[in-house]
Amino acid sequence: MINYFFENIDSKDIHPNISIWLEDLILSENKKPGDINYIFCDDEYLLKVNQDYLDHDYYTDIITFDYVKGKTISGDIFVSLPRILDNASTLSQDFESEFRRVLAHGLLHLCGYKDKTEEEESTMRQKEDFYINRYLNF
């Protein structure tokens, strides 16, 4: 089950198709949906998570905590909505497109994809693009 929470930020309407699309992404990767929590927050909240749990002292758009067991995808995915807005502007994208990219990115991490090397990052971007394009069918 996919849940959405809001911390230190106004809530945002999440279109029901988003959950259907995210579950489709998981199933398309030959995995099963478990408990997935998206926690939407502001930059300061996510910075504190980054500092407290990862010992990193910088802003980011997403942090994923992996609770995957076998093929069952579970985890907590923290997302900074202001950082997505800034990134969308920097990348000349609209907010919704960047929002979907970040949501897919977190799930792809839980499905086992990494982005530390150039090759891993390239694969991650290809997967993001593939699933973003599939969203248009929902």
Side-chain angles (χ1 to χ4, degrees):
M1 169 179 271
I2 298 175
N3 301 297
Y4 306 101
F5 301 97
F6 297 86
E7 295 290 339
N8 288 9
I9 200 158
D10 293 335
S11 64
K12 171 185 175 14
D13 287 331
I14 307 294
H15 195 283
N17 286 353
I18 292 282
S19 293
I20 295 167
W21 169 66
L22 293 170
E23 287 180 11
D24 178 72
L25 183 157
I26 293 167
L27 295 171
S28 295
E29 292 292 325
N30 297 312
K31 309 287 184 185
K32 297 185 304 188
D35 292 321
I36 300 160
N37 299 308
Y38 281 95
I39 302 96
F40 300 109
C41 56
D42 63 11
D43 280 340
E44 296 306 316
Y45 188 94
L46 195 52
L47 175 62
K48 182 118 176 70
V49 170
N50 213 5
Q51 292 167 334
D52 291 350
Y53 294 95
L54 302 176
D55 203 26
H56 297 159
D57 192 22
Y58 55 82
Y59 293 102
T60 186
D61 53 358
I62 186 168
I63 296 174
T64 304
F65 291 96
D66 182 337
Y67 311 130
V68 173
K69 290 186 180 169
K71 289 188 171 249
T72 302
I73 302 302
S74 297
D76 291 330
I77 302 171
F78 290 82
V79 177
S80 170
L81 295 180
R83 186 72 22 224
I84 290 175
L85 185 61
D86 287 349
N87 290 347
S89 176
T90 300
L91 300 169
S92 300
Q93 296 288 321
D94 63 86
F95 175 83
E96 289 302 318
S97 294
E98 187 63 15
F99 179 71
R100 288 190 297 269
R101 179 174 303 282
V102 171
L103 296 185
H105 185 90
L107 269 189
L108 288 167
H109 273 306
L110 294 178
C111 289
Y113 293 94
K114 309 288 185 221
D115 57 3
K116 297 292 183 198
T117 68
E118 283 185 32
E119 184 178 337
E120 289 172 341
E121 187 174 344
S122 175
T123 299
M124 177 70 84
R125 294 294 167 257
Q126 289 171 9
K127 286 287 187 176
E128 290 169 0
D129 290 341
F130 174 79
Y131 287 112
I132 288 167
N133 288 331
R134 281 180 68 143
Y135 178 79
L136 303 175
N137 296 323
F138 291 91

